Amino acid sequence: MNVRSNTPGRLVGKALAPFALLAMASGYWSPALAGGGGTITGKVDASPAKYLEETVVYLKGPSGGGGGKATMDQKGMKFIPHVLAVTAGDTVEFQNHDGVDHNVFSTDNEGFNLGTFKPNESRSFKPAKSDVAYGTLCSVHPEMLGYVFVGANKYHAVVKADGSFTISDVPPGDYQLAVWNPKLKAADQAVKVEAGGTANVSFSIKR
Ligand SMILES: [Cu+2]
């Protein structure tokens, strides 16, 4: 009786395994995992400290979750936010809320140039690469500089002023956590995320 009832279970388990692997490889998150995520939190120390604000912590590996819209404003002759983190597949809308014309261009990765546009107009850009950043510049105002970081998935965070970061609702699993900064770097770190748990990871980034 026991043997007979166990056998179908084993067969089902074996039959499901290839599908589960395929689902993981394609970056598809199982609905069973969607509500039971964990949290990754920690702190980044930067040397020199003046570059700390331009830091993004992100999860490597899985892809997906993009397709939305993110906004970077130009106001007070600045890109706001200074660092914007988006997900591959997202569209980035650059706005102009100053009283003067602005331009947006980047020479990073495939590069782009949105031309010059007037107050209260906007132009959009859809990044082609991920796990990279695009420095954003304005040809009219050379002092303007911003960054758009594009993660392969939605599990990324721009650090706060004190270097702390929190990435929420991460599906349980073993991952590599990475840090991006335009000038400084640190090695990736292994992180284990458990349902309902909090993993702590700290980075020291330097030249
Ligand atoms: Cu400008």
Side-chain angles (χ1 to χ4, degrees):
M1 189 64 180
N2 280 341
V3 170
R4 290 182 70 177
S5 62
N6 279 346
T7 303
R10 280 199 217 112
L11 287 174
V12 167
K14 280 178 183 170
L16 278 178
F19 172 76
L21 288 172
L22 187 66
M24 288 167 71
S26 65
Y28 170 78
W29 296 118
S30 161
L33 299 178
T39 301
I40 304 171
T41 188
K43 200 163 182 181
V44 178
D45 286 315
S47 175
K50 64 177 178 178
Y51 298 122
L52 178 62
E53 66 171 332
E54 297 171 342
T55 303
V56 177
V57 178
Y58 66 102
L59 205 64
K60 276 189 170 173
S63 59
K69 192 178 88 170
T71 299
M72 181 176 263
D73 201 0
Q74 294 173 98
K75 195 170 184 183
M77 311 302 272
K78 288 181 174 174
F79 288 105
I80 300 173
H82 178 55
V83 181
L84 174 69
V86 306
T87 302
D90 284 352
T91 297
V92 182
E93 183 183 87
F94 289 92
Q95 300 178 333
N96 178 359
H97 285 115
D98 275 328
V100 298
D101 291 2
H102 281 301
N103 156 266
V104 183
F105 76 98
S106 179
T107 58
D108 294 323
N109 309 305
E110 76 275 24
F112 65 88
N113 190 332
L114 303 182
T116 302
F117 49 108
K118 297 187 181 308
N120 298 314
E121 288 186 355
S122 65
R123 299 272 169 97
S124 291
F125 160 63
K126 192 166 181 177
K129 311 245 170 137
S130 60
D131 286 356
V132 297
Y134 297 75
T136 58
L137 300 159
C138 170
S139 62
V140 186
H141 309 104
E143 70 278 16
M144 292 178 67
L145 171 65
Y147 294 97
V148 176
F149 173 84
V150 186
N153 55 65
K154 61 182 179 178
Y155 305 108
H156 44 65
V158 180
V159 301
K160 294 182 181 163
D162 66 353
S164 65
F165 67 89
T166 299
I167 303 173
S168 305
D169 300 322
V170 183
D174 292 295
Y175 303 100
Q176 291 291 314
L177 194 67
V179 59
W180 173 85
N181 182 283
K183 301 244 179 5
L184 311 176
K185 56 184 185 280
D188 298 351
Q189 293 192 53
V191 60
K192 185 179 190 65
V193 176
E194 295 179 324
T198 299
N200 274 276
V201 183
S202 292
F203 290 94
S204 290
I205 55 172
K206 50 194 75 162
R207 289 188 195 277

